[in-house]
Amino acid sequence: KIDGDGQMTNASQPSFRVLSADMTNVLRNQYVNIEFNSELFDIGSNFNTTNYTFTAPVTGKYFLGTQILFQSVPSGADYLGVRVETSNHGYWSYLTTMTATLDADATYFHVTTAGVYDMDASDTAYVRMYLNDSATGSNVVDINSGATLFTGYLLG
């Protein structure tokens, strides 16, 4: 639909916005997929809340963004990373050295990422995190469901 000002809208444009489950005691030193299991909307039904994965319905450029609220982040961890994984490539969307970032353990630590990804029809995208910690002990992190989102839409 094109309005009088030349602005175009498409009610069936593929897009999604999903929320994460609460994830507690996420282990260190391994990739962990973030469990986006609750849809706020999913135009085109391209997001799978069972395997937490978006599947591109058509070839194109897609905007994908995340908002993650980590809780109980250990300041002694070597680094915290967030990756958007697509069929074509994994991208470190966020990576920080925790010892340089935090003076003490953080009750809350917010990470936001955004990017444009080239995806072919049937390519997939999902979000994973990695808490690298070479210290001994059982440092873990939690993920807050109320403020952890994954969103995306077809740009064209």
Short mmCIF file of all heavy atoms in Angstrom, two decimals, residues 7-53:
data_model
loop_
_atom_site.label_atom_id
_atom_site.label_comp_id
_atom_site.label_asym_id
_atom_site.label_seq_id
_atom_site.Cartn_x
_atom_site.Cartn_y
_atom_site.Cartn_z
N GLN A 7 4.64 6.93 1.01
CA GLN A 7 5.11 5.99 2.03
C GLN A 7 4.47 4.64 1.80
O GLN A 7 3.26 4.54 1.59
CB GLN A 7 4.77 6.51 3.43
CG GLN A 7 5.45 7.83 3.72
CD GLN A 7 4.93 8.48 4.98
OE1 GLN A 7 3.91 8.09 5.53
NE2 GLN A 7 5.64 9.49 5.44
N MET A 8 5.31 3.58 1.82
CA MET A 8 4.82 2.25 1.52
C MET A 8 4.74 1.41 2.79
O MET A 8 5.67 1.41 3.59
CB MET A 8 5.76 1.58 0.52
CG MET A 8 5.26 0.25 0.04
SD MET A 8 6.25 -0.46 -1.28
CE MET A 8 7.70 -0.95 -0.38
N THR A 9 3.64 0.73 2.96
CA THR A 9 3.49 -0.23 4.06
C THR A 9 3.01 -1.55 3.48
O THR A 9 2.33 -1.59 2.45
CB THR A 9 2.48 0.26 5.12
OG1 THR A 9 1.22 0.46 4.51
CG2 THR A 9 2.96 1.55 5.77
N ASN A 10 3.39 -2.63 4.17
CA ASN A 10 3.00 -3.96 3.73
C ASN A 10 2.63 -4.75 4.97
O ASN A 10 3.50 -5.07 5.78
CB ASN A 10 4.15 -4.62 2.98
CG ASN A 10 3.83 -6.02 2.50
OD1 ASN A 10 2.83 -6.59 2.87
ND2 ASN A 10 4.70 -6.56 1.68
N ALA A 11 1.37 -5.05 5.13
CA ALA A 11 0.89 -5.73 6.33
C ALA A 11 1.47 -7.13 6.48
O ALA A 11 1.47 -7.69 7.56
CB ALA A 11 -0.63 -5.80 6.33
N SER A 12 1.99 -7.72 5.40
CA SER A 12 2.53 -9.07 5.48
C SER A 12 4.06 -9.09 5.41
O SER A 12 4.66 -10.14 5.20
CB SER A 12 1.94 -9.94 4.36
OG SER A 12 2.28 -9.41 3.10
N GLN A 13 4.69 -7.92 5.62
CA GLN A 13 6.16 -7.86 5.63
C GLN A 13 6.70 -8.74 6.75
O GLN A 13 6.31 -8.58 7.91
CB GLN A 13 6.61 -6.41 5.86
CG GLN A 13 8.09 -6.18 5.76
CD GLN A 13 8.57 -6.08 4.33
OE1 GLN A 13 7.79 -6.14 3.40
NE2 GLN A 13 9.86 -5.92 4.17
N PRO A 14 7.58 -9.71 6.44
CA PRO A 14 8.10 -10.59 7.49
C PRO A 14 8.78 -9.81 8.62
O PRO A 14 9.66 -8.98 8.35
CB PRO A 14 9.11 -11.48 6.76
CG PRO A 14 8.69 -11.43 5.33
CD PRO A 14 8.12 -10.05 5.13
N SER A 15 8.34 -10.07 9.85
CA SER A 15 8.95 -9.43 11.01
C SER A 15 8.58 -10.21 12.26
O SER A 15 7.60 -10.94 12.27
CB SER A 15 8.51 -7.96 11.14
OG SER A 15 7.11 -7.88 11.27
N PHE A 16 9.40 -10.05 13.30
CA PHE A 16 9.14 -10.75 14.55
C PHE A 16 9.72 -9.97 15.72
O PHE A 16 10.63 -9.16 15.56
CB PHE A 16 9.72 -12.17 14.53
CG PHE A 16 11.22 -12.22 14.52
CD1 PHE A 16 11.96 -12.27 15.70
CD2 PHE A 16 11.92 -12.18 13.32
CE1 PHE A 16 13.34 -12.30 15.69
CE2 PHE A 16 13.31 -12.22 13.29
CZ PHE A 16 14.02 -12.27 14.47
N ARG A 17 9.18 -10.24 16.88
CA ARG A 17 9.71 -9.74 18.16
C ARG A 17 9.37 -10.80 19.19
O ARG A 17 8.19 -11.11 19.41
CB ARG A 17 9.11 -8.40 18.52
CG ARG A 17 9.73 -7.78 19.77
CD ARG A 17 9.18 -6.36 19.98
NE ARG A 17 9.72 -5.75 21.15
CZ ARG A 17 10.70 -4.84 21.16
NH1 ARG A 17 11.23 -4.45 20.03
NH2 ARG A 17 11.11 -4.31 22.28
N VAL A 18 10.40 -11.37 19.81
CA VAL A 18 10.21 -12.47 20.74
C VAL A 18 10.92 -12.19 22.05
O VAL A 18 11.90 -11.44 22.10
CB VAL A 18 10.71 -13.81 20.13
CG1 VAL A 18 9.80 -14.25 18.98
CG2 VAL A 18 12.14 -13.71 19.65
N LEU A 19 10.39 -12.78 23.12
CA LEU A 19 10.95 -12.65 24.47
C LEU A 19 11.64 -13.95 24.87
O LEU A 19 11.22 -15.03 24.49
CB LEU A 19 9.84 -12.38 25.48
CG LEU A 19 9.27 -10.99 25.57
CD1 LEU A 19 8.01 -11.01 26.44
CD2 LEU A 19 10.28 -10.04 26.14
N SER A 20 12.64 -13.80 25.71
CA SER A 20 13.36 -14.94 26.25
C SER A 20 12.66 -15.49 27.48
O SER A 20 11.97 -14.78 28.20
CB SER A 20 14.78 -14.52 26.64
OG SER A 20 15.42 -15.52 27.40
N ALA A 21 12.91 -16.77 27.72
CA ALA A 21 12.55 -17.38 29.00
C ALA A 21 13.57 -16.92 30.03
O ALA A 21 14.67 -16.48 29.68
CB ALA A 21 12.61 -18.90 28.88
N ASP A 22 13.21 -16.98 31.33
CA ASP A 22 14.22 -16.79 32.37
C ASP A 22 15.23 -17.92 32.25
O ASP A 22 14.84 -19.09 32.14
CB ASP A 22 13.60 -16.85 33.77
CG ASP A 22 13.08 -15.51 34.25
OD1 ASP A 22 13.62 -14.48 33.83
OD2 ASP A 22 12.13 -15.52 35.05
N MET A 23 16.48 -17.58 32.23
CA MET A 23 17.54 -18.59 32.17
C MET A 23 18.46 -18.34 33.36
O MET A 23 19.09 -17.29 33.44
CB MET A 23 18.31 -18.48 30.85
CG MET A 23 17.44 -18.76 29.62
SD MET A 23 18.30 -18.48 28.05
CE MET A 23 19.59 -19.72 28.14
N THR A 24 18.51 -19.28 34.28
CA THR A 24 19.31 -19.11 35.49
C THR A 24 20.50 -20.05 35.48
O THR A 24 20.46 -21.14 34.90
CB THR A 24 18.48 -19.35 36.75
OG1 THR A 24 17.93 -20.66 36.70
CG2 THR A 24 17.36 -18.33 36.86
N ASN A 25 21.56 -19.59 36.11
CA ASN A 25 22.79 -20.38 36.24
C ASN A 25 23.32 -20.86 34.90
O ASN A 25 23.67 -22.02 34.73
CB ASN A 25 22.60 -21.56 37.19
CG ASN A 25 22.26 -21.09 38.59
OD1 ASN A 25 22.82 -20.11 39.09
ND2 ASN A 25 21.34 -21.77 39.23
N VAL A 26 23.36 -19.95 33.93
CA VAL A 26 23.92 -20.27 32.61
C VAL A 26 25.42 -20.50 32.80
O VAL A 26 26.13 -19.64 33.33
CB VAL A 26 23.66 -19.12 31.61
CG1 VAL A 26 24.32 -19.42 30.28
CG2 VAL A 26 22.15 -18.91 31.45
N LEU A 27 25.86 -21.65 32.37
CA LEU A 27 27.24 -22.05 32.63
C LEU A 27 28.25 -21.25 31.82
O LEU A 27 27.97 -20.75 30.75
CB LEU A 27 27.40 -23.54 32.32
CG LEU A 27 26.56 -24.47 33.18
CD1 LEU A 27 26.73 -25.90 32.72
CD2 LEU A 27 26.92 -24.33 34.65
N ARG A 28 29.44 -21.19 32.36
CA ARG A 28 30.55 -20.50 31.71
C ARG A 28 31.26 -21.43 30.74
O ARG A 28 31.08 -22.64 30.77
CB ARG A 28 31.52 -19.98 32.77
CG ARG A 28 32.15 -21.12 33.55
CD ARG A 28 32.93 -20.62 34.72
NE ARG A 28 33.50 -21.77 35.42
CZ ARG A 28 34.65 -21.77 36.02
NH1 ARG A 28 35.37 -20.69 36.05
NH2 ARG A 28 35.08 -22.84 36.62
N ASN A 29 32.07 -20.83 29.89
CA ASN A 29 32.98 -21.54 28.98
C ASN A 29 32.27 -22.47 28.00
O ASN A 29 32.80 -23.51 27.63
CB ASN A 29 34.05 -22.30 29.77
CG ASN A 29 34.89 -21.36 30.61
OD1 ASN A 29 35.11 -20.21 30.25
ND2 ASN A 29 35.35 -21.85 31.75
N GLN A 30 31.08 -22.07 27.58
CA GLN A 30 30.40 -22.80 26.52
C GLN A 30 29.36 -21.88 25.86
O GLN A 30 28.83 -20.99 26.50
CB GLN A 30 29.73 -24.06 27.05
CG GLN A 30 28.64 -23.82 28.06
CD GLN A 30 28.08 -25.13 28.59
OE1 GLN A 30 28.15 -26.16 27.94
NE2 GLN A 30 27.51 -25.11 29.78
N TYR A 31 29.14 -22.11 24.57
CA TYR A 31 28.09 -21.37 23.88
C TYR A 31 26.74 -21.83 24.40
O TYR A 31 26.51 -23.02 24.57
CB TYR A 31 28.14 -21.60 22.37
CG TYR A 31 29.25 -20.85 21.69
CD1 TYR A 31 30.40 -21.50 21.27
CD2 TYR A 31 29.14 -19.49 21.47
CE1 TYR A 31 31.42 -20.82 20.64
CE2 TYR A 31 30.16 -18.79 20.85
CZ TYR A 31 31.29 -19.46 20.43
OH TYR A 31 32.29 -18.77 19.81
N VAL A 32 25.86 -20.86 24.63
CA VAL A 32 24.51 -21.16 25.10
C VAL A 32 23.53 -20.38 24.23
O VAL A 32 23.64 -19.15 24.11
CB VAL A 32 24.33 -20.76 26.59
CG1 VAL A 32 22.89 -20.97 27.03
CG2 VAL A 32 25.30 -21.53 27.47
N ASN A 33 22.60 -21.08 23.61
CA ASN A 33 21.57 -20.42 22.82
C ASN A 33 20.58 -19.75 23.77
O ASN A 33 20.15 -20.36 24.75
CB ASN A 33 20.83 -21.42 21.94
CG ASN A 33 21.71 -21.99 20.85
OD1 ASN A 33 22.86 -21.60 20.69
ND2 ASN A 33 21.18 -22.93 20.10
N ILE A 34 20.24 -18.53 23.45
CA ILE A 34 19.25 -17.83 24.27
C ILE A 34 17.87 -18.31 23.86
O ILE A 34 17.54 -18.36 22.67
CB ILE A 34 19.42 -16.31 24.16
CG1 ILE A 34 20.81 -15.93 24.69
CG2 ILE A 34 18.32 -15.59 24.95
CD1 ILE A 34 21.14 -14.48 24.68
N GLU A 35 17.07 -18.68 24.84
CA GLU A 35 15.80 -19.36 24.63
C GLU A 35 14.66 -18.37 24.43
O GLU A 35 13.91 -18.07 25.36
CB GLU A 35 15.52 -20.30 25.79
CG GLU A 35 16.59 -21.36 25.95
CD GLU A 35 16.45 -22.18 27.22
OE1 GLU A 35 15.54 -21.89 28.04
OE2 GLU A 35 17.27 -23.10 27.39
N PHE A 36 14.52 -17.88 23.22
CA PHE A 36 13.43 -16.97 22.89
C PHE A 36 12.19 -17.82 22.60
O PHE A 36 12.01 -18.32 21.50
CB PHE A 36 13.80 -16.10 21.69
CG PHE A 36 14.92 -15.15 21.98
CD1 PHE A 36 16.21 -15.42 21.56
CD2 PHE A 36 14.68 -13.99 22.70
CE1 PHE A 36 17.25 -14.54 21.84
CE2 PHE A 36 15.71 -13.11 22.98
CZ PHE A 36 17.00 -13.39 22.55
N ASN A 37 11.33 -17.96 23.61
CA ASN A 37 10.23 -18.91 23.50
C ASN A 37 8.83 -18.28 23.56
O ASN A 37 7.84 -18.98 23.65
CB ASN A 37 10.35 -19.98 24.58
CG ASN A 37 10.23 -19.41 25.98
OD1 ASN A 37 10.16 -18.20 26.16
ND2 ASN A 37 10.20 -20.28 26.97
N SER A 38 8.76 -16.96 23.52
CA SER A 38 7.47 -16.30 23.63
C SER A 38 7.38 -15.19 22.58
O SER A 38 8.19 -14.25 22.60
CB SER A 38 7.30 -15.72 25.03
OG SER A 38 6.09 -15.03 25.15
N GLU A 39 6.41 -15.28 21.69
CA GLU A 39 6.27 -14.30 20.62
C GLU A 39 5.43 -13.11 21.07
O GLU A 39 4.36 -13.29 21.64
CB GLU A 39 5.60 -14.92 19.40
CG GLU A 39 6.41 -15.99 18.73
CD GLU A 39 5.67 -16.65 17.57
OE1 GLU A 39 4.43 -16.47 17.46
OE2 GLU A 39 6.31 -17.35 16.79
N LEU A 40 5.92 -11.91 20.80
CA LEU A 40 5.09 -10.72 20.94
C LEU A 40 4.34 -10.52 19.63
O LEU A 40 3.18 -10.15 19.63
CB LEU A 40 5.95 -9.51 21.28
CG LEU A 40 6.64 -9.62 22.65
CD1 LEU A 40 7.65 -8.50 22.83
CD2 LEU A 40 5.61 -9.60 23.76
N PHE A 41 5.03 -10.74 18.50
CA PHE A 41 4.40 -10.85 17.19
C PHE A 41 5.34 -11.60 16.27
O PHE A 41 6.55 -11.66 16.51
CB PHE A 41 4.00 -9.48 16.61
CG PHE A 41 5.15 -8.55 16.32
CD1 PHE A 41 5.84 -8.62 15.12
CD2 PHE A 41 5.54 -7.60 17.25
CE1 PHE A 41 6.90 -7.75 14.85
CE2 PHE A 41 6.59 -6.72 16.99
CZ PHE A 41 7.26 -6.81 15.79
N ASP A 42 4.77 -12.20 15.24
CA ASP A 42 5.55 -12.96 14.27
C ASP A 42 4.78 -12.96 12.95
O ASP A 42 4.03 -13.88 12.65
CB ASP A 42 5.79 -14.39 14.76
CG ASP A 42 6.63 -15.22 13.81
OD1 ASP A 42 7.20 -14.66 12.85
OD2 ASP A 42 6.70 -16.45 14.02
N ILE A 43 4.96 -11.89 12.19
CA ILE A 43 4.26 -11.76 10.92
C ILE A 43 4.93 -12.68 9.90
O ILE A 43 6.12 -12.53 9.61
CB ILE A 43 4.24 -10.30 10.43
CG1 ILE A 43 3.49 -9.45 11.46
CG2 ILE A 43 3.61 -10.19 9.05
CD1 ILE A 43 3.54 -7.97 11.22
N GLY A 44 4.17 -13.66 9.42
CA GLY A 44 4.69 -14.65 8.49
C GLY A 44 4.99 -15.98 9.15
O GLY A 44 5.34 -16.94 8.47
N SER A 45 4.92 -16.02 10.48
CA SER A 45 5.18 -17.27 11.24
C SER A 45 6.53 -17.88 10.88
O SER A 45 6.64 -19.08 10.60
CB SER A 45 4.05 -18.28 11.01
OG SER A 45 2.82 -17.75 11.44
N ASN A 46 7.59 -17.06 10.92
CA ASN A 46 8.93 -17.52 10.55
C ASN A 46 9.84 -17.74 11.75
O ASN A 46 11.00 -18.12 11.58
CB ASN A 46 9.57 -16.51 9.60
CG ASN A 46 8.75 -16.32 8.35
OD1 ASN A 46 8.51 -17.26 7.62
ND2 ASN A 46 8.27 -15.11 8.13
N PHE A 47 9.33 -17.48 12.95
CA PHE A 47 10.15 -17.71 14.14
C PHE A 47 9.67 -18.97 14.85
O PHE A 47 8.48 -19.14 15.10
CB PHE A 47 10.10 -16.52 15.12
CG PHE A 47 11.20 -16.59 16.13
CD1 PHE A 47 12.41 -15.99 15.88
CD2 PHE A 47 11.06 -17.32 17.30
CE1 PHE A 47 13.46 -16.09 16.79
CE2 PHE A 47 12.09 -17.43 18.22
CZ PHE A 47 13.30 -16.81 17.96
N ASN A 48 10.61 -19.84 15.19
CA ASN A 48 10.30 -21.10 15.85
C ASN A 48 10.64 -20.97 17.33
O ASN A 48 11.82 -20.85 17.69
CB ASN A 48 11.11 -22.23 15.21
CG ASN A 48 10.77 -23.59 15.77
OD1 ASN A 48 10.51 -23.75 16.95
ND2 ASN A 48 10.80 -24.59 14.90
N THR A 49 9.63 -20.99 18.19
CA THR A 49 9.86 -20.82 19.63
C THR A 49 10.29 -22.12 20.31
O THR A 49 10.56 -22.12 21.51
CB THR A 49 8.59 -20.28 20.33
OG1 THR A 49 7.49 -21.16 20.04
CG2 THR A 49 8.26 -18.88 19.85
N THR A 50 10.38 -23.20 19.55
CA THR A 50 10.88 -24.46 20.11
C THR A 50 12.40 -24.54 20.01
O THR A 50 13.07 -24.98 20.94
CB THR A 50 10.24 -25.66 19.38
OG1 THR A 50 8.82 -25.56 19.49
CG2 THR A 50 10.71 -26.97 19.97
N ASN A 51 12.95 -24.10 18.86
CA ASN A 51 14.41 -24.11 18.70
C ASN A 51 15.00 -22.70 18.69
O ASN A 51 16.18 -22.54 18.41
CB ASN A 51 14.84 -24.91 17.47
CG ASN A 51 14.39 -24.28 16.16
OD1 ASN A 51 13.94 -23.14 16.13
ND2 ASN A 51 14.51 -25.04 15.09
N TYR A 52 14.16 -21.68 18.95
CA TYR A 52 14.59 -20.29 19.16
C TYR A 52 15.25 -19.70 17.92
O TYR A 52 16.19 -18.91 18.02
CB TYR A 52 15.52 -20.18 20.38
CG TYR A 52 15.17 -21.15 21.48
CD1 TYR A 52 16.04 -22.13 21.89
CD2 TYR A 52 13.92 -21.08 22.10
CE1 TYR A 52 15.70 -23.02 22.89
CE2 TYR A 52 13.57 -21.97 23.10
CZ TYR A 52 14.47 -22.94 23.49
OH TYR A 52 14.12 -23.83 24.48
N THR A 53 14.73 -20.05 16.75
CA THR A 53 15.37 -19.72 15.48
C THR A 53 14.41 -19.03 14.52
O THR A 53 13.27 -19.45 14.36
CB THR A 53 15.90 -21.02 14.82
OG1 THR A 53 16.82 -21.64 15.72
CG2 THR A 53 16.62 -20.74 13.52
#
